[in-house]
Amino acid sequence: MKAKAFDTKIFKRILEYTKPYQRRFNGVVFFAIALSVFAALRPYLLKHTVDGYIQHHDAKGLLSYIVLMFVVLLAEVFSQFYFVYWANWLGQDIVKDIRNKLFRHMLSFRMKYYDNAPVGQLVTRSVSDIESIARIFSQGLFMIISDLLKMVIVLIFMFCMNWKLSWIVILAMPVLVIITRVFQKKMQLAFEEVRTQVANMNTFVQERVTGMKIVQLFNREDIEADKFSVINQKHNHAWIKTILYNSIFFPIADIISSLTLGFVVWYGGARILGGDATTTFGDLFTYTMFIGMLFNPLRQIADKFNEMQLGMISANRVFEILDTKDQIQDTGTHEAPVFKGDISFKDVHFGYIEGEEVIKGISLNVKAGETIAIVGATGAGKSTIINLLNRFYEINAGEICIDGKNIDDYTLASIRKQIAVVLQDVFLFADTILNNITLNNPEITMEDVVTSAKRIGVHEFIMSLPNGYNYNVKERGVMLSSGQRQLIAFLRAYVSNPSILILDEATSSIDTYSEELIQRATETITKGRTSIVIAHRLATIVNADKIVVMDKGHIVEQGSHAELLNRETGFYKNLYYSQFLVEAREEE
């Protein structure tokens, strides 16, 4: 949705976030009014100083007015301090609240949302776009209120002093207002284009930095640099538009302000020289200040309105995400007890894309404590079964049950708490090994981690690293080998003490030594637990209680290793002799 120059609906929604800070909001408004009054009062006092004391050579009265002007100046400085400080403080607290709400909202999205949403765009929304919303309060809304109040009060003082000189100023203002309005419309379009290009650039850079290994492996440095150059050029052009409009507007505004001042001085001077007692030297002194105080805020309102527009556009983008209803429906009312581990799929249908089914009516029963292996060609639907069991996606039809109860009836958190998954592609945070294992769960102690690590044989490996469990693995665990990352992921699953364990090709990309540790851990952790293994290596196949063979979204065979091999023809037998047997010979 395209943001308007000033979208009242979005603005009202932003103001909703000020409610917890109503006293501070009112305080900012109060000091905005005080600042405007004190700012306009100083030139008015100057008029009386010139006309009442300087022209009459009254030194004593002059001193008292100088003191009074100094007091007014202090009051103005005091008001400006609290106005600026509280306005920025309010903006940052609002941003904090919106950012927390946005991040919590994003945490609840289904995996399908992240399948389609560019990571760089989400980062832009969560960081720079939200920061722009803060500027609505710190540089936009309250500054505009303050400037408008200042202009109104200045006009009141001007008409009270000399209405004839004031009309010269009034006649010049519509010209500047029209120019300002045209400028605002142009800048709104320019800023919207800037935000679009920033999001595109963030998305591009995020993906290329994440996939830098692929870029370099396939010698695509020059190609990606050229692509980035095109995106960067569009970003550059978008900003140049804003520079162009600023370069045109502000000189024109200065010319109008200077010409108005010139006309006032000429007309006022002529009336003084002509003997008009209603126009004084104090008026001319004061009007030179008043015109600046009247026209400069009008100029600056255009700047502040730019900030408002930028913030409104950013708010519109953020609210689009907040309004996205793409969560897993966590309507279950039952807190899952400690699962026995009976799992059943009953005629389950599912597709990532509407009309394209990946799982085509499968039925599968897994008994408590049983270890099953799922095999099949790439794209057969093996990993999808795991995604559905964890409720990362909603099934299109059928039913999935654990311990005889539909998983939709359980609360989402209680299900996932009892299912541990070890993926082939391990993700580690830029944090210590300990925090990557516990994921900052206060229920898992250091003693639990060390005991578990010793039990599965990875304690020595961890202690061999600098700082042991406090070793920082950096972003995505780049300081560890793929096998080491896999061991950390396995220990992470183990210490959570799951009722159901899932290994999604967890040993497909590790060395023999690491695999031996994984096999030792598997034997330990699977005892008394239901385990589902997306099989890749032979050792995980032959030891399974049951092997499930999938092909093109269907379960085509089930049985033990021996039972499936005894069939004269079959998917598993062909797969075994074409892939697993070759692997077994290589390992001998």
Side-chain angles (χ1 to χ4, degrees), residues 351-357 396:
Y352 294 101
I353 302 172
E354 189 174 350
E356 298 181 17
E357 284 195 342
N396 299 338

Side-chain angles (χ1 to χ4, degrees), residues 25 29 32 36 140-150:
F25 182 91
V29 174
S36 303
L141 173 64
F142 293 121
M143 292 296 181
I144 291 175
I145 291 173
S146 177
D147 287 343
L148 288 175
L149 285 171
K150 188 181 296 182

Side-chain angles (χ1 to χ4, degrees), residues 269-283:
R271 293 185 67 81
I272 292 173
L273 294 176
D276 183 1
T278 62
T279 304
T280 66
F281 283 108
D283 289 340

Side-chain angles (χ1 to χ4, degrees), residues 8-215:
T8 307
K9 190 175 180 181
I10 292 177
F11 184 66
K12 286 181 178 178
R13 188 169 177 181
I14 294 170
L15 288 182
E16 288 291 317
Y17 289 92
T18 66
K19 287 183 177 179
Y21 313 102
Q22 194 63 49
R23 291 180 63 182
R24 201 185 312 160
F25 182 91
N26 295 338
V28 174
V29 174
F30 170 78
F31 283 112
I33 296 171
L35 178 61
S36 303
V37 172
F38 291 131
L41 188 58
R42 281 190 300 108
Y44 184 74
L45 292 176
L46 177 62
K47 166 187 165 57
H48 286 281
T49 303
V50 172
D51 293 340
Y53 301 101
I54 293 178
Q55 281 190 315
H56 295 88
H57 304 284
D58 184 350
K60 185 177 180 180
L62 176 63
L63 179 61
S64 65
Y65 254 72
I66 293 296
V67 172
L68 180 59
M69 290 176 65
F70 181 71
V71 171
V72 170
L73 178 63
L74 287 179
E76 183 183 353
V77 170
F78 177 83
S79 300
Q80 187 171 22
F81 168 77
Y82 277 99
F83 170 69
V84 174
Y85 180 72
W86 282 9
N88 280 272
W89 183 16
L90 178 64
Q92 288 302 318
D93 276 348
I94 289 170
V95 160
K96 175 197 66 179
D97 293 345
I98 295 177
R99 186 177 282 126
N100 282 338
K101 185 175 181 180
L102 177 65
F103 191 71
R104 286 184 178 276
H105 190 67
M106 289 167 56
L107 288 173
S108 68
F109 284 153
R110 293 183 293 178
M111 288 299 106
K112 185 177 181 180
Y113 178 86
Y114 293 103
D115 292 342
N116 301 316
V119 174
Q121 189 179 87
L122 293 176
V123 172
T124 301
R125 300 292 180 268
S126 304
V127 182
S128 59
D129 275 342
I130 287 187
E131 204 58 46
S132 294
I133 297 175
R135 296 177 70 84
I136 291 177
F137 297 94
S138 62
Q139 302 296 326
L141 173 64
F142 293 121
M143 292 296 181
I144 291 175
I145 291 173
S146 177
D147 287 343
L148 288 175
L149 285 171
K150 188 181 296 182
M151 291 169 64
V152 170
I153 294 172
V154 165
L155 282 172
I156 292 172
F157 274 107
M158 288 172 68
F159 271 96
C160 290
M161 287 170 49
N162 193 315
W163 65 269
K164 294 177 181 178
L165 292 180
S166 300
W167 275 111
I168 297 176
V169 180
I170 294 298
L171 291 173
M173 286 186 66
V175 179
L176 188 55
V177 169
I178 292 170
I179 293 172
T180 300
R181 182 58 180 161
V182 172
F183 172 70
Q184 289 169 351
K185 288 182 178 179
K186 293 291 185 181
M187 288 299 288
Q188 189 269 335
L189 295 174
F191 274 131
E192 188 167 334
E193 186 176 349
V194 166
R195 299 310 302 164
T196 299
Q197 297 305 327
V198 167
N200 291 341
M201 182 177 290
N202 284 345
T203 299
F204 184 89
V205 172
Q206 175 88 20
E207 288 181 346
R208 270 57 186 184
V209 169
T210 303
M212 188 59 69
K213 183 179 289 186
I214 298 299
V215 171

Side-chain angles (χ1 to χ4, degrees), residues 345-371:
F345 285 70
K346 301 175 182 179
D347 194 26
V348 173
H349 293 257
F350 171 76
Y352 294 101
I353 302 172
E354 189 174 350
E356 298 181 17
E357 284 195 342
V358 177
I359 299 296
K360 303 172 182 178
I362 68 167
S363 294
L364 172 66
N365 291 306
V366 183
K367 296 179 181 178
E370 198 173 47
T371 298

